[in-house]
Amino acid sequence: MSLQSFEAVIFDMDGLLLDSERISFNTFRETLKQFNLKEDNELFYQMIGKDERSWRKLLKESLSDKIDTDKFARVWSDLYQREISKPIPVKDGAEALLTYLKELKMVTAVATSTKTKMAKEKLKNAGLLESFDLIIGGDQVKKGKPHPDIYLLVAERLSVNPQRCLALEDSENGVKSAVSAKMSVIQIPDMVQLSEELKKLGHTILGSLEDVVGYDFVSKKTIN
């Protein structure tokens, strides 16, 4: 079983297609400094893959006793927006994989927790927007990742069975979302190490998007 066996391939964006999680992380740390707060990598890691409503809630639960979290979010957002106005590096293997899928005439989509408008801007700046048939952002569903809603919506819009879709993710929340939607899942970890609990989901874990093209889902290995 190979890529040709699927009817659609669905990509996460930040940390999977674009090397943007590090930008988010660095601006988060800078915002902590501006508010005279100590570094809190664990809090940031918990927010990875969540939509804006969810990470704002987590931020409030964690820091509201110390600061105005709405102001914190505004400062962080301003710093982040300034950085992503510059070209965002594309992750290794992304362009080659997308070219290969185009040659296969494979349907491709993006399912990202980022708001749709911003996601399209990011992908356009990276030269990847035209590679996708559909872009769905976290603002289009009531429940973001790790709930399955966004992946189910993508499948519905594409008129494909979720079980005939391959989802590519980097984060724990994203993997849980796609697995809950009954999709085949490949995870390319980015900034956060995999937990033992996540490994129990039985999804495929690869080191890079470069490994996806030759991956055989039966033998569970990449065939060059």
Side-chain angles (χ1 to χ4, degrees):
M1 183 177 179
S2 60
L3 282 174
Q4 292 94 321
S5 304
F6 297 99
E7 294 182 10
V9 179
I10 307 170
F11 293 75
D12 177 48
M13 184 181 69
D14 295 298
L16 189 280
L17 285 168
L18 305 178
D19 197 9
S20 48
E21 293 291 14
R22 285 169 179 77
I23 297 173
S24 184
F25 178 62
N26 290 335
T27 53
F28 176 72
R29 293 179 67 185
E30 176 60 31
T31 308
L32 288 174
K33 290 180 182 177
Q34 290 193 26
F35 282 78
N36 296 312
L37 297 172
K38 65 180 181 179
E39 291 187 8
D40 194 340
N41 295 355
E42 186 57 37
L43 173 58
F44 177 81
Y45 294 153
Q46 290 177 40
M47 291 190 284
I48 291 177
K50 291 184 178 291
D51 61 19
E52 183 173 349
R53 289 164 295 183
S54 299
W55 68 250
R56 278 180 175 269
K57 180 181 178 182
L58 183 57
L59 196 65
K60 187 172 184 179
E61 291 172 349
S62 303
L63 298 177
S64 61
D65 60 329
K66 301 180 180 71
I67 58 166
D68 180 338
T69 55
D70 288 334
K71 184 177 180 181
F72 182 99
R74 286 195 300 272
V75 172
W76 183 18
S77 178
D78 288 344
L79 289 172
Y80 182 71
Q81 291 292 336
R82 183 185 67 194
E83 292 301 316
I84 64 169
S85 65
K86 309 169 188 176
I88 301 174
V90 176
K91 298 287 280 189
D92 292 343
E95 293 171 312
L97 175 56
L98 289 168
T99 297
Y100 179 70
L101 293 174
K102 185 176 182 179
E103 292 172 352
L104 294 178
K105 294 181 170 52
M106 180 72 70
V107 174
T108 55
V110 169
T112 174
S113 295
T114 298
K115 290 182 178 179
T116 307
K117 182 179 179 181
M118 181 183 292
K120 289 182 178 180
E121 290 175 357
K122 285 183 176 181
L123 291 168
K124 183 178 180 180
N125 290 340
L128 300 181
L129 182 60
E130 299 304 317
S131 298
F132 299 100
D133 299 291
L134 178 68
I135 311 291
I136 296 292
D139 54 319
Q140 296 193 51
V141 292
K142 291 184 178 180
K143 293 183 179 180
K145 301 174 184 179
H147 298 282
D149 301 38
I150 192 166
Y151 278 105
L152 293 175
L153 179 59
V154 170
E156 179 184 333
R157 294 275 181 87
L158 294 176
S159 298
V160 296
N161 186 327
Q163 296 184 44
R164 300 293 299 162
C165 295
L166 171 65
L168 301 176
E169 273 284 355
D170 68 289
S171 72
E172 180 167 326
N173 286 313
V175 168
K176 289 180 177 178
S177 175
V179 169
S180 295
K182 307 301 183 184
M183 295 186 178
S184 295
V185 181
I186 291 179
Q187 182 180 15
I188 314 291
D190 185 30
M191 294 186 65
V192 183
Q193 295 296 316
L194 275 66
S195 66
E196 291 303 317
E197 176 188 359
L198 193 68
K199 292 178 182 177
K200 292 177 182 178
L201 293 180
H203 61 292
T204 298
I205 302 165
L206 299 178
S208 168
L209 288 172
E210 296 174 329
D211 301 325
V212 175
V213 171
Y215 186 75
D216 186 294
F217 289 82
V218 175
S219 65
K220 301 294 183 181
K221 64 182 181 179
T222 299
I223 302 173
N224 295 322

